Amino acid sequence: MEDQLNATFAALADPTRRAILARLASGETSVTELAKPFDISLPGISKHLKVLEHAGLISRGREAQWRPCRLEAEPLREVADWVEAYRRYWEQSFDRLDDYLRVLKTKEKGE
């Protein structure tokens, strides 16, 4: 899982790859269509797609002349699960801080 998580975070580190994933969330499409909004060559987009594919975030099919790219969201769920543990940590920390601040305010009013 650690290697998968590392590959997923590495893939998500690039804004172009995140934008590609956002586009694929709307449905499968071709490499040419994915490349349209970017000022990047098709070989450049292909390099990004290879990183996403290596991370398991996309799959590429073959239907006659059309090679659709599809979002594979399972690695994103693993990232969400990993982040969730830290969210709970921060919520607990903020709850403790709230409690401490209430105690301080109570002491100030009592003085």
Side-chain angles (χ1 to χ4, degrees):
M1 169 143 165
E2 187 75 21
D3 287 343
Q4 176 62 53
L5 198 57
N6 289 341
T8 303
F9 276 120
L12 294 174
D14 185 274
T16 300
R17 292 193 285 267
R18 290 192 305 271
I20 289 170
L21 291 176
R23 167 57 188 89
L24 289 174
S26 300
E28 65 183 34
T29 191
S30 69
V31 174
T32 305
E33 285 299 312
L34 284 173
K36 280 186 179 179
F38 303 104
D39 189 23
I40 300 174
S41 66
L42 281 176
I45 289 293
S46 289
K47 287 180 183 180
H48 284 295
L49 294 176
K50 284 178 185 172
V51 172
L52 292 168
E53 195 170 23
H54 173 73
L57 291 165
I58 67 164
S59 61
R60 294 198 257 186
R62 181 177 234 163
E63 297 173 17
Q65 299 299 321
W66 193 51
R67 294 183 176 207
C69 295
R70 292 176 195 86
L71 176 66
E72 301 292 340
E74 180 61 24
L76 295 175
R77 187 180 63 74
E78 292 171 8
V79 168
D81 291 346
W82 185 84
V83 169
E84 178 65 19
Y86 292 94
R87 184 188 65 80
R88 285 190 299 256
Y89 167 80
W90 284 109
E91 283 180 353
Q92 291 169 356
S93 295
F94 288 135
D95 289 345
R96 286 191 304 272
L97 179 60
D98 280 344
D99 293 343
Y100 180 70
L101 292 174
R102 273 192 223 98
V103 167
L104 288 179
K105 274 189 170 181
T106 303
K107 284 182 180 179
E108 280 182 7
K109 287 180 181 178
E111 290 179 10

